[in-house]
Amino acid sequence: MGEKIGILGSGGWGISLAILFYRLKYKIFLWEPLRENYEILVKKRENVEYFKGIKIPKEINISNSLEEVVVNSEIIFITVRSSFFRKTVELLKNHYKKQPVIIGTKGLEYNTGKRMSEIFKEFIDDEKLLVLSGPTIAREIAKGCPTAAVIASKNEKIAEYIQKLISSEKFRVYTTNDIIGVEIGGAFKNVIAIGAGIIDGFKLGINTKAAYLTRGLNEMIKIGVFLGGEEKTFRGLSGLGDLITTSFSKYSRNRSFGEGIVKIGKEKYLEISKMVIEGIPTTNAFYNISKKYNVELPIVESIYRILYEGSCPKEEIKKLMVRELKKE
């Protein structure tokens, strides 16, 4: 078991995992749902729109058939965007053969605010379900740069099996049973990263960014613990680790989007960029959760007003700075 791995989603994250596992000598099946994109991938062995410059080894099997990928795989990774996650799991249900499934998608569902594992359980039993997260910028993984990640599962035996299966000198994996914490951290950091990009766009400096990220982490812990996560998880790889990566990397889509808001405006940036900005729907989800349960999240509220109400970023920075003074 474990030598055949299926990856559902051929964006940057899916391709980087495919390359990572290919280097471990596993047989890889990569699913691309759109026929047009599939044909380009097969012909050019590269995702020219979303992951340009990273070639897919010819030994990796690219398929337009989810059934083919699932039936031939002993382990499944799901890396599709959060907005397509529900549909993917709905399709997976028809061919699922009780193999371990690892969720690599980070985010919350726009309308419901549900975590990806909650959506998964609506269709398939979660006995063999795991969640993968951490500081994992796709391009760096594809290039072979060392990093670490965490796998969360209530099934300790399977978690330890997957840990040993995919760990290497380039990819160190830890385990935890805190699924909620890992998912909340992986989703929430995208919201904070947008603000980090705004700070970069205004060239406000490291003091500003350090203070902002510290308070952003505080909000992550606050909402995460409220929703059932463990505080230590948010200080680990899937919380603080991923937050640092996403808030500083030039490859971070959410950070780059925030910077783009300052330099050319939100609408213009989205028009030019074809990348998925998970932080946009996730901001909406966390904002609604905070209002529903009366959890104070000042940074989330500011990012929400910038994205959904057209508020001026400079004004939002001022509001955060002059609001009521409090104890740390």
Side-chain angles (χ1 to χ4, degrees), residues 19-280:
I19 293 172
L20 177 69
F21 301 150
Y22 161 75
R23 289 173 180 153
L24 295 177
K25 310 301 182 184
Y26 297 133
K27 189 173 182 62
I28 309 300
F29 297 88
L30 183 64
W31 178 60
E32 167 50 55
L34 300 179
R35 184 72 190 182
E36 181 180 352
N37 291 351
Y38 158 75
E39 291 175 352
I40 293 173
L41 284 174
V42 171
K43 181 180 179 180
K44 297 191 174 182
R45 307 300 297 186
E46 179 183 351
N47 188 324
V48 293
E49 283 196 21
Y50 300 112
F51 213 41
K52 192 172 183 179
I54 303 296
K55 290 294 184 180
I56 303 171
K58 64 180 186 302
E59 293 84 358
I60 292 176
N61 301 280
I62 303 173
S63 177
N64 187 226
S65 168
L66 184 139
E67 179 180 6
E68 178 187 7
V69 171
V70 174
V71 169
N72 284 289
S73 300
E74 296 163 320
I75 294 172
I76 300 292
F77 283 79
I78 305 178
T79 65
V80 298
R81 66 186 69 179
S82 62
S83 59
F84 190 54
F85 187 87
R86 178 177 290 275
K87 180 63 176 179
T88 299
V89 177
E90 191 174 357
L91 294 171
L92 172 62
K93 180 183 178 181
N94 299 323
H95 310 293
Y96 180 62
K97 56 178 187 178
K98 301 187 184 303
Q99 62 266 67
V101 175
I102 299 93
I103 297 174
T105 302
K106 299 175 182 179
L108 299 182
E109 190 169 42
Y110 179 82
N111 293 323
T112 67
K114 287 185 176 182
R115 294 175 284 108
M116 299 301 106
S117 66
E118 292 179 298
I119 299 172
F120 185 90
K121 287 188 286 186
E122 291 182 21
F123 300 94
I124 300 173
D125 181 79
D126 68 338
E127 179 60 30
K128 295 183 178 180
L129 181 66
L130 308 92
V131 176
L132 174 67
S133 193
T136 50
I137 291 290
R139 192 168 291 273
E140 293 181 7
I141 288 178
K143 290 180 177 180
C145 301
T147 192
V150 61
I151 278 184
S153 178
K154 66 180 185 180
N155 190 323
E156 186 176 352
K157 184 178 180 180
I158 290 182
E160 290 178 352
Y161 169 73
I162 299 297
Q163 176 188 36
K164 293 175 182 176
L165 188 78
I166 66 175
S167 289
S168 67
E169 63 180 25
K170 301 293 187 182
F171 196 68
R172 182 174 176 84
V173 179
Y174 293 81
T175 64
T176 178
N177 61 6
D178 185 14
I179 294 175
I180 295 175
V182 168
E183 287 191 290
I184 294 299
F188 196 88
K189 55 90 182 181
N190 285 330
V191 179
I192 302 304
I194 293 174
I198 290 173
I199 290 171
D200 290 343
F202 283 129
K203 300 185 186 306
L204 296 178
I206 293 300
N207 286 346
T208 304
K209 198 168 185 179
Y212 169 79
L213 292 179
T214 302
R215 298 310 301 170
L217 176 62
N218 183 69
E219 290 193 18
M220 178 192 289
I221 293 171
K222 188 175 185 179
I223 191 64
V225 171
F226 176 81
L227 293 173
E230 300 174 17
E231 182 171 344
K232 67 176 182 179
T233 301
F234 302 109
R235 302 191 189 281
L237 290 166
S238 59
L240 179 59
D242 206 0
L243 176 62
I244 293 171
T245 290
T246 311
S247 297
F248 280 94
S249 174
K250 66 179 181 179
Y251 299 122
S252 167
R253 292 169 291 178
N254 293 280
R255 190 211 62 80
S256 297
F257 169 59
E259 189 172 4
I261 290 175
V262 174
K263 292 184 174 180
I264 62 175
K266 183 187 75 170
E267 300 303 331
K268 186 67 175 179
Y269 183 90
L270 293 175
E271 181 183 326
I272 295 173
S273 174
K274 296 181 179 179
M275 304 296 285
V276 176
I277 313 298
E278 288 285 6
I280 297 176

